[in-house]
């Protein structure tokens, strides 16, 4: 991730649906890298927004297995709405 920026990455997670809520945890600490947000961006697709709070580029640790918890929505698929 470039210095002082955010970047969103998507990964396939079978069974995710719009409206599900997800919590993820990076298994190791890494200076400058944080998770700014997590969302289900489409069916079977998890989007994670990373933040780099340092003044230089940072590369996330490779080949880590992240931990996640999915809270399945009991409601029908939501439509676009203003809050």
């Amino acid at each position: 991730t470039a210095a002082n920026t955010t970047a969103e990455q998507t990964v396939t997670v079978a069974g995710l649906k719009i409206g599900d809520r997800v919590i993820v945890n990076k298994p190791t600490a890494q200076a400058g890298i944080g998770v700014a947000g997590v969302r289900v961006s489409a069916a079977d697709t998890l989007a994670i927004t990373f933040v780099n709070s340092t003044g230089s580029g940072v590369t996330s640790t490779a080949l880590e297995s992240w931990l996640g918890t999915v809270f399945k929505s009991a409601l029908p698929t939501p439509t676009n709405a203003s809050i």
Side-chain angles (χ1 to χ4, degrees), residues 8-72:
E8 185 174 78
Q9 298 281 322
T10 59
V11 293
T12 300
V13 179
L16 284 182
K17 294 182 180 176
I18 296 291
D20 290 347
R21 303 293 182 250
V22 182
I23 297 172
V24 296
N25 288 301
K26 187 177 184 314
T28 60
Q30 186 173 357
I33 295 259
V35 175
V38 180
R39 67 188 181 100
V40 178
S41 61
D44 301 323
T45 306
L46 181 66
I48 304 172
T49 301
F50 295 93
V51 61
N52 173 1
S53 60
T54 70
S56 59
V58 178
T59 301
S60 184
T61 306
L63 302 176
E64 289 188 311
S65 294
W66 285 51
L67 304 173
T69 302
V70 177
F71 298 91
K72 301 300 282 180

